């Protein structure tokens, strides 16, 4: 096999089982089974680009030279010497030297996907989990102890809001102050020095599409010794909070990154010290709570990441096109790519070049009845999309946030978050041609206007 482009000193697998003894680690006994492409030289602007960073990440080949990595489906791993196991459990030997204990701890296949996620978000390390909520809850429980305090955006995914407002105060004695994340003075005043451990917000909020000024919020938090955790589920590729100063970036990989509406998964991206602490045998939230990702799922996801950038660009292009056209027809559209969105300039200044402004838009139909009729037309009359929660699918998915993914909030909390009873969240897909799908959307919009179901704005 040609040697070109292969770094044979990087990742190796022995012909016989590794010994924990350094003197027995003889490189003459090694064959290359896990090969690594040589790192490319990147220009400074490419280092900031998530697609370039992903392309430059280590490529893991299969055990027998396959272009795709092998799946390590084992739950447990052997050692050749009894002393090695003690050294592994003491932390002396670990995954960095290709020593694995048990797949709830670290798994080689999941670890490779995690390296890709770290490259995507520009963080030192990452590890993937069984769901987005497990990533969020594990990070918060790792960073906060009983009596701790969190400052969070009042506009969050409903599950996260319930975790912070109901579950953590009851089960963990960790309280949260919710603020308008765009009111930086309010954020600053809500932080209690010595007690507040985390500032938590979404890069683009679910579902109101408010955009966080990540660098400024990081400055405020870091000045007071607070760790910044950002949920970037709505904006992979579009924004890179880790490159903008955030300490930790979390994802529901189930959404845009997966793209298939067939996998539940999450990720924690941040410093290696944090990831390692979360896998600590005595104090690690990931290790002890056990939200373990299946390595077969990790393999599936690793195959989808290389074309994430192409998918995101099309999601965003169509979302902007539809939002612009609906606005011209007089509908109340919320989309940060529109010039009149209050956070348009913020997102434009923070977004990665050429990816767009996000694949989600909202249409405010004012009442739940009108919203229901609109969605019924879109699914059952024009076949524009599906009534379903979640996002990032190749077909358009739509739901009324107030009665679904934000139903954990009461009426007052929804009002403060900017969630009206008739707010329809639409995750714009890319199936079919743009004009084909627009004709379906336009037909439903016309039907709404013709039957006086909606007053123009």
């Amino acid at each position: 096999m040609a040697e070109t482009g292969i770094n044979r000193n990087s990742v190796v697998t022995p012909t016989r089982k590794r010994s924990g003894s350094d003197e027995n680690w003889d490189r003459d006994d090694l064959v290359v089974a896990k090969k690594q492409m040589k790192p490319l030289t990147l220009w400074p602007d490419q280092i900031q680009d998530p697609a370039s960073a992903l392309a430059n990440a280590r490529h893991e080949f299969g055990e027998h030279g396959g272009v795709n990595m092998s799946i390590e489906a084992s739950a447990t791993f052997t050692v050749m010497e009894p002393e090695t196991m003690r050294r592994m459990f003491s932390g002396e030997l670990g995954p960095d030297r290709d020593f694995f204990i048990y797949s709830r701890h670290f798994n080689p296949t999941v670890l490779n996907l995690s390296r890709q996620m770290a490259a995507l978000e520009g963080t030192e390390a990452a590890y993937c989990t069984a769901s987005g909520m497990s990533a969020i809850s594990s990070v918060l429980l790792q960073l906060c102890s009983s009596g701790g305090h969190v400052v969070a955006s009042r506009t969050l995914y409903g599950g996260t809001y319930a975790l912070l407002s109901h579950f953590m105060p009851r089960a963990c004695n960790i309280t949260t102050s919710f603020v308008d994340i765009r009111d930086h003075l309010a954020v600053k005043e809500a932080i209690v020095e010595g007690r507040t451990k985390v500032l938590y917000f979404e890069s683009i909020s679910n579902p109101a599409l408010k955009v966080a000024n990540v660098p400024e919020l990081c400055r405020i938090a870091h000045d007071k010794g607070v760790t910044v955790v950002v949920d970037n589920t709505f904006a992979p590729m579009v924004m890179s909070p880790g490159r903008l100063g955030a300490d930790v970036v979390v994802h529901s990989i189930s959404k845009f990154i997966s793209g298939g509406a067939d996998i539940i998964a999450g990720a924690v991206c941040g410093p290696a010290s944090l990831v390692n602490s979360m896998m600590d045998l005595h104090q690690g939230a990931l290790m002890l709570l056990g939200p373990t990702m299946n390595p077969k799922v990790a393999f599936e996801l690793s195959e989808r990441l290389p074309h994430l950038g192409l998918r995101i660009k099309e999601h965003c292009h169509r979302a902007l096109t539809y939002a612009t056209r609906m606005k011209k027809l007089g509908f109340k559209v919320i989309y940060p790519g529109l010039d009149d969105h209050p956070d348009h300039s913020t997102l434009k200044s923070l977004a990665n070049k050429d990816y767009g402004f996000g694949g989600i838009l909202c249409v405010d139909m004012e009442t739940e009845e009108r919203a229901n009729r609109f969605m019924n037309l879109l699914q059952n009359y024009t076949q524009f999309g599906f009534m379903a929660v979640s996002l990032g699918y190749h077909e358009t998915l739509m739901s009324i946030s107030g009665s679904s993914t934000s139903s954990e909030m009461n009426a007052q909390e929804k009002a403060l978050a900017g969630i009206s009873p008739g707010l329809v969240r639409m995750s714009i897909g890319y199936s079919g041609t743009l004009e084909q799908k627009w004709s379906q959307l336009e037909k439903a919009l016309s039907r709404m206007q013709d039957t006086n179901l909606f007053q123009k704005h």
Side-chain angles (χ1 to χ4, degrees):
M1 176 181 266
E3 296 279 333
T4 305
I6 304 297
N7 180 353
R8 291 188 176 273
N9 293 321
S10 54
V11 183
V12 288
T13 299
T15 53
R16 55 185 173 80
K17 181 65 185 175
R18 298 160 321 228
S19 164
S21 302
D22 294 336
E23 57 268 30
N24 291 333
W25 184 260
D26 185 353
R27 288 195 173 271
D28 291 337
D29 291 332
L30 303 180
V31 295
V32 175
K34 297 179 183 177
K35 296 167 289 191
Q36 174 189 347
M37 297 299 296
K38 285 183 179 178
L40 303 175
T41 300
L42 293 181
W43 298 105
D45 60 333
Q46 291 178 309
I47 294 172
Q48 297 299 317
D49 180 79
S52 296
L54 263 177
N56 193 50
R58 173 168 125 180
H59 184 95
E60 197 84 12
F61 288 85
E63 185 178 359
H64 302 289
V67 295
N68 294 316
M69 68 173 174
S70 299
I71 301 173
E72 181 50 81
S74 298
T76 191
F77 301 83
T78 63
V79 296
M80 287 300 294
E81 299 170 349
E83 179 66 14
T84 302
M85 189 172 292
R86 183 194 62 77
R87 296 176 67 189
M88 289 163 62
F89 273 85
S90 70
E92 186 180 344
L93 298 174
D96 58 327
R97 292 181 58 184
D98 208 30
F99 286 90
F100 295 89
I101 299 173
Y102 187 66
S103 280
R104 176 162 52 85
H105 187 242
F106 283 106
N107 172 278
T109 310
V110 179
L111 189 57
N112 187 60
L113 173 64
S114 303
R115 292 190 187 106
Q116 290 177 287
M117 287 300 301
L120 171 68
E121 287 297 347
T123 57
E124 183 183 13
Y127 206 69
C128 296
T129 66
S131 70
M133 282 305 302
S134 69
I136 293 167
S137 57
S138 296
V139 164
L140 292 174
L141 291 175
Q142 192 68 37
L143 295 174
C144 302
S145 301
S146 177
H149 179 248
V150 176
V151 174
S153 170
R154 64 163 56 114
T155 307
L156 295 172
Y157 165 59
T160 308
Y161 192 88
L163 174 73
L164 291 168
S165 61
H166 302 300
F167 181 85
M168 290 179 64
R170 175 185 63 80
C172 311
N173 191 32
I174 297 169
T175 58
T176 298
S177 297
F178 294 97
V179 297
D180 181 350
I181 206 67
R182 295 184 297 189
D183 184 343
H184 295 166
L185 180 59
V187 173
K188 189 173 183 179
E189 291 177 345
I191 294 174
V192 181
E193 289 196 55
R195 184 165 171 255
T196 303
K197 302 302 180 184
V198 171
L199 173 62
Y200 184 95
F201 55 89
E202 296 167 348
S203 54
I204 299 179
S205 70
N206 181 4
L209 305 182
K210 297 177 182 180
V211 180
N213 188 331
V214 179
E216 180 61 18
L217 290 166
C218 290
R219 185 193 65 77
I220 292 170
H222 293 159
D223 282 350
K224 293 178 175 286
V226 173
T227 300
V228 177
V229 180
V230 181
D231 184 341
N232 201 35
T233 298
F234 266 38
M237 293 279 182
V238 174
M239 286 180 70
S240 298
R243 295 180 175 93
L244 296 171
D247 301 294
V248 185
V249 181
V250 293
H251 273 280
S252 172
I253 301 181
S254 318
K255 310 305 192 296
F256 284 110
I257 294 174
S258 166
D262 58 344
I263 286 174
I264 301 294
V268 177
C269 309
S273 58
L274 173 66
V275 174
N276 288 330
S277 72
M278 295 180 76
M279 280 298 187
D280 184 82
L281 298 178
H282 304 282
Q283 298 283 348
L286 287 178
M287 180 61 187
L288 299 177
L289 297 177
T292 307
M293 175 179 278
N294 187 318
K296 296 171 186 176
V297 168
F299 174 84
E300 284 276 343
L301 291 168
S302 72
E303 298 297 291
R304 303 179 191 190
L305 270 171
H307 49 73
L308 174 62
L310 298 174
R311 292 187 280 117
I312 288 293
K313 288 180 180 182
E314 190 62 16
H315 283 297
C316 294
H317 170 59
R318 295 195 183 197
L320 177 60
T321 302
Y322 298 156
T324 302
R325 293 179 182 182
M326 282 193 285
K327 180 186 171 187
K328 287 181 180 178
L329 290 174
F331 290 88
K332 185 178 180 181
V333 183
I334 302 167
Y335 182 67
L338 296 175
D339 291 342
D340 63 350
H341 189 283
D343 301 325
H344 175 71
S345 60
T346 299
L347 181 54
K348 192 172 183 179
S349 68
L350 299 179
N352 292 312
K353 186 179 179 183
D354 298 330
Y355 290 97
F357 297 94
I360 309 289
L361 63 83
C362 292
V363 183
D364 192 348
M365 290 292 175
E366 297 181 343
T367 70
E368 187 173 350
E369 179 187 10
R370 289 173 180 152
N372 280 331
R373 292 185 183 182
F374 180 49
M375 292 195 304
N376 184 60
L377 287 170
L378 289 171
Q379 175 176 287
N380 300 320
Y381 176 63
T382 71
Q383 290 78 53
F384 174 73
F386 303 145
M387 289 184 280
V389 298
S390 198
L391 50 119
Y393 190 44
H394 59 83
E395 295 281 0
T396 294
L397 303 179
M398 51 202 173
S399 59
I400 301 174
S401 296
S403 57
S404 59
T405 54
S406 296
S407 60
E408 295 90 343
M409 298 179 176
N410 62 38
Q412 182 181 10
E413 291 166 340
K414 289 175 192 174
L416 288 171
I419 305 170
S420 79
L423 188 71
V424 178
R425 189 189 74 183
M426 303 175 73
S427 171
I428 302 300
Y430 51 79
S431 292
T433 68
L434 187 151
E435 294 304 331
Q436 171 195 14
K437 302 308 287 187
W438 167 249
S439 68
Q440 296 170 338
L441 175 56
E442 187 179 33
K443 185 185 293 186
L445 293 169
S446 298
R447 184 73 175 268
M448 292 292 291
Q449 292 174 325
D450 291 344
T451 54
N452 294 317
L453 291 175
F454 184 71
Q455 295 295 320
K456 283 190 177 185
H457 284 259

